[in-house]
Amino acid sequence: MQRSLGKMSAYKMFNWRDRAASNIQQTVSAFLEIGEAIATRWIQTPKGVLLLQMAPEDTASGAIYVFDRQRDDWYMLSFEDCEDQFTSEQFDRVFSEYKLFSYVEQPGLLLSQLQSANA
């Protein structure tokens, strides 16, 4: 089946172990501060968190990130035809089409999608 945005890849951003906070809200808040961004979508399970992060003044600037709570790793999801220009509505469609909830439930699945950050 051809997906609307082509192939999805994951890029490991960094390990958060040294910045571990006492709760997930503090972890996500600290991550958002790095990009001076807001989360317009926040989906959380015991194993992972998925965010649509945007610049507050640009509704078409969204990028999708997953936090693996067991490994303390942040990943960015990238698509052939869209990397960091998601609107909330487009995210909702992609969330369903690409079954992104599976990566929140089991972030380890991203390891099979992993691309080199220098690629």
Side-chain angles (χ1 to χ4, degrees):
M1 176 177 100
Q2 182 70 19
R3 293 185 169 166
S4 63
L5 296 179
K7 183 179 188 263
M8 182 189 86
S9 300
Y11 295 88
K12 184 176 176 182
M13 301 297 291
F14 38 79
N15 183 277
W16 203 255
R17 191 161 287 125
D18 294 336
R19 299 180 186 187
S22 60
N23 63 55
I24 194 62
Q25 288 77 16
Q26 290 174 339
T27 295
V28 170
S29 293
F31 178 76
L32 292 170
E33 281 180 27
I34 291 171
E36 300 177 0
I38 59 171
T40 60
R41 298 290 188 272
W42 178 332
I43 300 158
Q44 177 177 322
T45 70
K47 293 184 180 181
V49 176
L50 183 135
L51 300 175
L52 175 62
Q53 174 184 299
M54 288 187 178
E57 67 283 347
D58 187 353
T59 60
S61 65
I64 302 173
Y65 296 93
V66 174
F67 179 61
D68 182 334
R69 296 173 76 172
Q70 294 177 314
R71 293 175 182 86
D72 292 324
D73 289 329
W74 279 102
Y75 299 91
M76 179 180 178
L77 301 186
S78 180
F79 301 83
E80 285 178 313
D81 295 334
C82 184
E83 186 171 298
D84 59 359
Q85 298 149 358
F86 284 94
T87 63
S88 294
E89 295 77 19
Q90 186 179 25
F91 169 84
D92 292 341
R93 187 180 78 247
V94 169
F95 181 81
S96 176
E97 180 182 353
Y98 285 79
K99 299 179 180 18
L100 297 183
F101 189 73
S102 63
Y103 299 108
V104 183
E105 282 188 312
Q106 298 179 14
L109 294 173
L110 288 171
L111 298 175
S112 68
Q113 304 292 328
L114 206 55
Q115 301 293 317
S116 168
N118 297 327

Short mmCIF file of all heavy atoms in Angstrom, two decimals, residues 56-87:
data_model
loop_
_atom_site.label_atom_id
_atom_site.label_comp_id
_atom_site.label_asym_id
_atom_site.label_seq_id
_atom_site.Cartn_x
_atom_site.Cartn_y
_atom_site.Cartn_z
N PRO A 56 5.30 28.25 18.32
CA PRO A 56 4.01 28.80 18.73
C PRO A 56 3.34 29.69 17.68
O PRO A 56 2.12 29.73 17.59
CB PRO A 56 4.33 29.60 19.99
CG PRO A 56 5.65 29.15 20.44
CD PRO A 56 6.36 28.57 19.25
N GLU A 57 4.11 30.36 16.87
CA GLU A 57 3.54 31.31 15.92
C GLU A 57 3.35 30.74 14.51
O GLU A 57 2.93 31.44 13.61
CB GLU A 57 4.42 32.57 15.85
CG GLU A 57 5.80 32.36 15.26
CD GLU A 57 6.82 31.69 16.19
OE1 GLU A 57 6.58 31.59 17.40
OE2 GLU A 57 7.87 31.28 15.66
N ASP A 58 3.64 29.45 14.32
CA ASP A 58 3.56 28.86 12.98
C ASP A 58 2.82 27.53 13.04
O ASP A 58 3.37 26.52 13.47
CB ASP A 58 4.97 28.66 12.42
CG ASP A 58 4.99 28.19 10.98
OD1 ASP A 58 3.91 27.89 10.41
OD2 ASP A 58 6.08 28.13 10.40
N THR A 59 1.56 27.51 12.59
CA THR A 59 0.73 26.31 12.69
C THR A 59 1.10 25.23 11.68
O THR A 59 0.51 24.16 11.68
CB THR A 59 -0.76 26.67 12.52
OG1 THR A 59 -0.94 27.28 11.24
CG2 THR A 59 -1.22 27.61 13.62
N ALA A 60 2.06 25.50 10.80
CA ALA A 60 2.52 24.49 9.84
C ALA A 60 4.01 24.20 10.04
O ALA A 60 4.75 24.01 9.10
CB ALA A 60 2.26 24.95 8.42
N SER A 61 4.43 24.15 11.31
CA SER A 61 5.85 23.93 11.61
C SER A 61 6.07 22.69 12.45
O SER A 61 7.13 22.53 13.05
CB SER A 61 6.41 25.14 12.37
OG SER A 61 5.78 25.26 13.63
N GLY A 62 5.10 21.81 12.49
CA GLY A 62 5.17 20.67 13.38
C GLY A 62 6.16 19.60 12.98
O GLY A 62 6.33 19.30 11.80
N ALA A 63 6.81 19.04 13.97
CA ALA A 63 7.69 17.89 13.81
C ALA A 63 7.24 16.84 14.83
O ALA A 63 6.74 17.18 15.90
CB ALA A 63 9.15 18.27 14.03
N ILE A 64 7.42 15.58 14.48
CA ILE A 64 6.93 14.48 15.32
C ILE A 64 8.11 13.83 16.03
O ILE A 64 9.10 13.45 15.40
CB ILE A 64 6.18 13.45 14.47
CG1 ILE A 64 5.00 14.11 13.75
CG2 ILE A 64 5.70 12.30 15.35
CD1 ILE A 64 4.30 13.21 12.75
N TYR A 65 7.98 13.71 17.35
CA TYR A 65 9.02 13.12 18.19
C TYR A 65 8.43 12.01 19.05
O TYR A 65 7.28 12.10 19.49
CB TYR A 65 9.64 14.18 19.10
CG TYR A 65 10.36 15.25 18.34
CD1 TYR A 65 9.71 16.43 17.98
CD2 TYR A 65 11.69 15.09 17.96
CE1 TYR A 65 10.37 17.41 17.26
CE2 TYR A 65 12.35 16.07 17.26
CZ TYR A 65 11.68 17.23 16.90
OH TYR A 65 12.33 18.19 16.19
N VAL A 66 9.25 11.01 19.32
CA VAL A 66 8.89 9.92 20.22
C VAL A 66 9.96 9.84 21.30
O VAL A 66 11.16 9.87 21.00
CB VAL A 66 8.78 8.58 19.47
CG1 VAL A 66 8.54 7.43 20.45
CG2 VAL A 66 7.68 8.62 18.43
N PHE A 67 9.51 9.71 22.54
CA PHE A 67 10.41 9.50 23.66
C PHE A 67 10.23 8.07 24.17
O PHE A 67 9.12 7.67 24.52
CB PHE A 67 10.13 10.49 24.79
CG PHE A 67 11.02 10.32 26.00
CD1 PHE A 67 12.39 10.46 25.89
CD2 PHE A 67 10.47 10.03 27.24
CE1 PHE A 67 13.21 10.30 27.00
CE2 PHE A 67 11.28 9.88 28.36
CZ PHE A 67 12.65 10.02 28.23
N ASP A 68 11.30 7.30 24.15
CA ASP A 68 11.30 5.94 24.66
C ASP A 68 11.61 6.04 26.16
O ASP A 68 12.74 6.33 26.55
CB ASP A 68 12.36 5.12 23.93
CG ASP A 68 12.41 3.67 24.37
OD1 ASP A 68 12.03 3.37 25.53
OD2 ASP A 68 12.84 2.83 23.57
N ARG A 69 10.61 5.83 26.98
CA ARG A 69 10.75 6.00 28.42
C ARG A 69 11.63 4.95 29.07
O ARG A 69 12.17 5.18 30.16
CB ARG A 69 9.36 6.01 29.07
CG ARG A 69 8.53 7.20 28.61
CD ARG A 69 7.12 7.14 29.10
NE ARG A 69 7.07 7.52 30.51
CZ ARG A 69 5.94 7.71 31.18
NH1 ARG A 69 4.78 7.56 30.58
NH2 ARG A 69 5.98 8.04 32.45
N GLN A 70 11.80 3.80 28.44
CA GLN A 70 12.64 2.76 29.01
C GLN A 70 14.12 2.99 28.70
O GLN A 70 14.99 2.72 29.51
CB GLN A 70 12.20 1.39 28.51
CG GLN A 70 10.81 1.03 29.00
CD GLN A 70 10.32 -0.28 28.45
OE1 GLN A 70 10.42 -0.54 27.25
NE2 GLN A 70 9.77 -1.10 29.32
N ARG A 71 14.41 3.49 27.51
CA ARG A 71 15.80 3.72 27.10
C ARG A 71 16.23 5.18 27.28
O ARG A 71 17.38 5.52 27.09
CB ARG A 71 15.97 3.33 25.63
CG ARG A 71 15.83 1.85 25.38
CD ARG A 71 15.89 1.53 23.88
NE ARG A 71 15.70 0.13 23.62
CZ ARG A 71 14.51 -0.45 23.46
NH1 ARG A 71 13.41 0.26 23.54
NH2 ARG A 71 14.42 -1.74 23.24
N ASP A 72 15.27 6.07 27.59
CA ASP A 72 15.52 7.51 27.74
C ASP A 72 16.04 8.13 26.44
O ASP A 72 16.89 9.03 26.47
CB ASP A 72 16.49 7.80 28.89
CG ASP A 72 15.89 7.49 30.25
OD1 ASP A 72 14.68 7.71 30.43
OD2 ASP A 72 16.64 7.04 31.13
N ASP A 73 15.56 7.66 25.31
CA ASP A 73 15.98 8.16 24.00
C ASP A 73 14.87 8.96 23.34
O ASP A 73 13.70 8.56 23.37
CB ASP A 73 16.36 7.02 23.05
CG ASP A 73 17.66 6.33 23.46
OD1 ASP A 73 18.54 7.01 24.03
OD2 ASP A 73 17.79 5.12 23.19
N TRP A 74 15.25 10.09 22.71
CA TRP A 74 14.33 10.87 21.89
C TRP A 74 14.60 10.57 20.42
O TRP A 74 15.76 10.51 19.99
CB TRP A 74 14.54 12.38 22.11
CG TRP A 74 13.88 12.91 23.34
CD1 TRP A 74 14.48 13.19 24.52
CD2 TRP A 74 12.50 13.24 23.50
NE1 TRP A 74 13.56 13.68 25.41
CE2 TRP A 74 12.33 13.73 24.81
CE3 TRP A 74 11.38 13.18 22.66
CZ2 TRP A 74 11.10 14.15 25.31
CZ3 TRP A 74 10.16 13.60 23.15
CH2 TRP A 74 10.02 14.07 24.46
N TYR A 75 13.54 10.39 19.64
CA TYR A 75 13.61 10.15 18.21
C TYR A 75 12.76 11.17 17.47
O TYR A 75 11.72 11.59 17.96
CB TYR A 75 13.07 8.75 17.86
CG TYR A 75 13.82 7.62 18.49
CD1 TYR A 75 13.44 7.12 19.73
CD2 TYR A 75 14.91 7.04 17.84
CE1 TYR A 75 14.13 6.07 20.31
CE2 TYR A 75 15.60 5.99 18.42
CZ TYR A 75 15.20 5.51 19.66
OH TYR A 75 15.88 4.47 20.23
N MET A 76 13.20 11.54 16.29
CA MET A 76 12.38 12.35 15.39
C MET A 76 11.91 11.43 14.27
O MET A 76 12.70 10.65 13.72
CB MET A 76 13.19 13.49 14.78
CG MET A 76 12.39 14.32 13.82
SD MET A 76 13.42 15.66 13.14
CE MET A 76 12.23 16.40 12.03
N LEU A 77 10.63 11.51 13.94
CA LEU A 77 10.10 10.75 12.82
C LEU A 77 10.14 11.63 11.58
O LEU A 77 9.80 12.82 11.64
CB LEU A 77 8.66 10.31 13.09
CG LEU A 77 8.46 9.44 14.33
CD1 LEU A 77 7.01 8.95 14.40
CD2 LEU A 77 9.42 8.27 14.37
N SER A 78 10.57 11.05 10.50
CA SER A 78 10.71 11.78 9.25
C SER A 78 10.00 10.99 8.15
O SER A 78 10.00 9.76 8.16
CB SER A 78 12.20 11.94 8.91
OG SER A 78 12.36 12.62 7.70
N PHE A 79 9.42 11.72 7.22
CA PHE A 79 8.71 11.12 6.11
C PHE A 79 9.29 11.67 4.82
O PHE A 79 9.71 12.83 4.77
CB PHE A 79 7.21 11.44 6.20
CG PHE A 79 6.60 10.95 7.49
CD1 PHE A 79 6.69 11.69 8.65
CD2 PHE A 79 5.95 9.73 7.53
CE1 PHE A 79 6.15 11.23 9.84
CE2 PHE A 79 5.40 9.27 8.72
CZ PHE A 79 5.50 10.01 9.87
N GLU A 80 9.31 10.86 3.77
CA GLU A 80 9.91 11.28 2.50
C GLU A 80 9.35 12.62 2.03
O GLU A 80 10.09 13.47 1.55
CB GLU A 80 9.66 10.22 1.42
CG GLU A 80 10.52 9.00 1.56
CD GLU A 80 10.23 7.97 0.50
OE1 GLU A 80 9.05 7.67 0.25
OE2 GLU A 80 11.21 7.46 -0.08
N ASP A 81 8.05 12.82 2.16
CA ASP A 81 7.42 14.02 1.61
C ASP A 81 7.08 15.08 2.65
O ASP A 81 6.44 16.08 2.32
CB ASP A 81 6.16 13.62 0.83
CG ASP A 81 6.48 12.78 -0.39
OD1 ASP A 81 7.62 12.90 -0.91
OD2 ASP A 81 5.62 11.99 -0.81
N CYS A 82 7.48 14.89 3.89
CA CYS A 82 7.24 15.90 4.93
C CYS A 82 8.07 15.54 6.15
O CYS A 82 7.96 14.43 6.67
CB CYS A 82 5.76 15.96 5.31
SG CYS A 82 5.39 17.26 6.50
N GLU A 83 8.87 16.48 6.60
CA GLU A 83 9.70 16.21 7.78
C GLU A 83 9.26 17.04 8.98
O GLU A 83 8.99 16.53 10.04
CB GLU A 83 11.17 16.48 7.47
CG GLU A 83 12.08 16.10 8.60
CD GLU A 83 13.52 16.16 8.20
OE1 GLU A 83 13.91 15.40 7.29
OE2 GLU A 83 14.26 16.96 8.78
N ASP A 84 9.18 18.34 8.80
CA ASP A 84 8.89 19.20 9.95
C ASP A 84 7.97 20.36 9.58
O ASP A 84 8.15 21.48 10.02
CB ASP A 84 10.19 19.72 10.57
CG ASP A 84 11.03 20.52 9.58
OD1 ASP A 84 10.63 20.67 8.42
OD2 ASP A 84 12.10 20.99 10.00
N GLN A 85 6.95 20.05 8.79
CA GLN A 85 6.00 21.09 8.39
C GLN A 85 4.56 20.61 8.60
O GLN A 85 3.66 20.95 7.85
CB GLN A 85 6.24 21.47 6.93
CG GLN A 85 7.61 22.05 6.71
CD GLN A 85 8.16 21.73 5.33
OE1 GLN A 85 7.55 21.06 4.54
NE2 GLN A 85 9.35 22.22 5.07
N PHE A 86 4.35 19.82 9.64
CA PHE A 86 3.03 19.27 9.91
C PHE A 86 2.11 20.31 10.52
O PHE A 86 2.52 21.08 11.37
CB PHE A 86 3.12 18.08 10.88
CG PHE A 86 3.61 16.82 10.25
CD1 PHE A 86 4.95 16.49 10.30
CD2 PHE A 86 2.74 15.97 9.61
CE1 PHE A 86 5.41 15.32 9.74
CE2 PHE A 86 3.19 14.80 9.03
CZ PHE A 86 4.53 14.46 9.10
N THR A 87 0.85 20.25 10.10
CA THR A 87 -0.21 20.95 10.82
C THR A 87 -0.83 19.93 11.76
O THR A 87 -0.60 18.71 11.62
CB THR A 87 -1.29 21.46 9.85
OG1 THR A 87 -1.90 20.32 9.22
CG2 THR A 87 -0.72 22.41 8.80
#
